[in-house]
Amino acid sequence: MPLIRTSLADAIGTIAFDRDTKRNALSAELIAECIAAFDEFKNMHARAVVLRSVTAGKVWSAGHDIDELPKADVDPLPYNDPLEQLLRAVKAFPAPVIAMVQGSVWGGACDLVMACDLVYGDETSSFAITPAKLGLPYNVVGLLNFLSRLPLNVVKEMFFSADPIAADRAERVGIVNRIVPAAELEQITYAMARTFTTRSSAAIASAKESIRVLSEATPINPQTFEYLHGLRRGVYFGPDYHEGVASFLEKRKPKF
Ligand code: YXS
């Protein structure tokens, strides 16, 4: 059974998560289907892509599939982790990718939403980044994703508390472009996608890639990178990551 549904109409691609039994957790299999869909849409010269969930339910995506996280003592988010590959595929797609969010967004799915070019949500949208609940050291690229988009104090609140940011505040702090009534979300999202299809795709692709390069142009010398990586190693070799993953799998609260 496919874990996503895709369609292409009027040069607008749609990728809809269809794994509600696991709250659209981003497994390697689901991610592979998403990346294949982006490749197909690129070949078909899609002028915009909408990323959404089939169900307008409580949960847009529960984030990285925790069952697939390394159990501990291994970097949980290495460069070639499937989720990291999906984030890069979204950023590299040569046309705008719009996240259409209904329901709650967790962990790596929040990073995925932040990697999208635009985010539209409704009043049920909420956004939480949750490594602090799993004892997991978030990766440098992911942190920069948030830092390049949100005020420092909001990034710290999200990463330290792991609490969801509700829709109205998500719009105020800039996680989303717009929060609109649920009944209008689909129409407004696809209206913007249609606008993109009427503009120069070459100009948009060049602007998107230039903005990506400039926003990621964070000069870090090798010693600084080694230092940051040491901070991460200290966590994923530590007791908290063991406890965080175990507590989720045992369906109990972690004791850090
Ligand atoms: O027990 P069954 O087989 O029915 O499966 C349950 C859950 O185990 C499963 N599920 C997940 N499986 C793998 N990875 C996940 N992230 C995940 N989330 C849920 O889905 C089935 C239904 O879950 P249930 O009963 O809890 O549903 P609910 O509607 O009561 O609650 C929905 C959530 C999303 C509030 C709840 O499932 C939840 O809190 N899930 C974990 C959200 C989370 O912490 N995600 C972060 C994943 S780690 C990640 O993304 C990054 C690495 S980081 O940690 O750094 O952010």
Side-chain angles (χ1 to χ4, degrees):
M1 280 293 285
L3 298 171
I4 64 171
R5 291 202 204 150
T6 63
S7 62
L8 181 64
D10 305 327
I12 300 171
T14 296
I15 297 173
F17 304 138
D18 191 14
R19 191 192 184 209
D20 188 48
T21 53
K22 293 289 187 181
R23 301 298 180 266
N24 293 333
L26 302 173
S27 62
E29 191 183 354
L30 183 149
I31 287 169
E33 290 180 24
C34 290
I35 292 174
F38 275 115
D39 289 345
E40 179 63 15
F41 288 154
K42 185 176 175 184
N43 296 336
M44 304 293 281
H45 304 296
R47 308 283 286 269
V49 174
V50 175
L51 194 58
R52 58 186 295 180
S53 168
V54 165
T55 52
K58 277 186 356 181
V59 180
W60 189 77
S61 171
H64 198 298
D65 189 318
I66 296 175
D67 294 317
E68 295 184 356
L69 280 172
K71 293 307 168 255
D73 299 345
V74 175
D75 184 345
L77 291 171
Y79 181 80
N80 281 323
D81 175 89
L83 177 65
E84 297 305 310
Q85 292 183 35
L86 177 58
L87 297 178
R88 291 195 294 273
V90 168
K91 293 178 182 178
F93 191 78
V97 177
I98 308 174
M100 189 184 105
V101 176
Q102 293 169 292
S104 55
V105 180
W106 301 87
C110 193
D111 203 350
L112 172 60
V113 162
M114 306 286 278
C116 290
D117 299 299
L118 283 79
V119 185
Y120 285 135
D122 67 17
E123 54 273 5
T124 66
S125 308
S126 69
F127 304 86
I129 183 70
T130 49
K133 277 167 63 174
L134 278 172
L136 186 145
Y138 215 63
N139 63 342
V140 172
V141 171
L143 287 168
L144 283 171
N145 252 354
F146 285 79
L147 286 169
S148 66
R149 193 127 163 190
L150 299 173
L152 202 53
N153 55 322
V154 174
V155 174
K156 289 179 179 180
E157 177 188 336
M158 292 184 77
F159 274 89
F160 298 173
S161 74
D163 286 341
I165 300 265
D168 54 348
R169 187 145 173 256
E171 186 174 35
R172 275 203 311 277
V173 301
I175 295 174
V176 300
N177 291 70
R178 287 182 68 188
I179 292 289
V180 299
E184 298 169 31
L185 178 60
E186 187 165 10
Q187 185 269 322
I188 289 172
T189 302
Y190 282 84
M192 179 55 84
R194 260 189 302 282
T195 297
F196 293 145
T197 66
T198 66
R199 305 294 192 244
S200 157
S201 56
I204 291 176
S206 159
K208 175 170 174 176
E209 178 62 0
S210 303
I211 291 167
R212 182 190 70 78
V213 170
L214 292 168
S215 66
E216 292 179 0
T218 312
I220 292 183
N221 69 44
Q223 187 166 332
T224 303
F225 179 78
E226 288 298 333
Y227 168 63
L228 296 179
H229 201 58
L231 291 175
R232 296 186 66 238
R233 268 199 299 268
V235 180
Y236 64 69
F237 280 130
D240 285 1
Y241 183 33
H242 283 267
E243 168 60 11
V245 175
S247 64
F248 178 82
L249 298 177
E250 295 159 17
K251 297 192 184 293
R252 60 174 173 79
K253 285 208 179 308
K255 293 187 196 68
F256 293 128

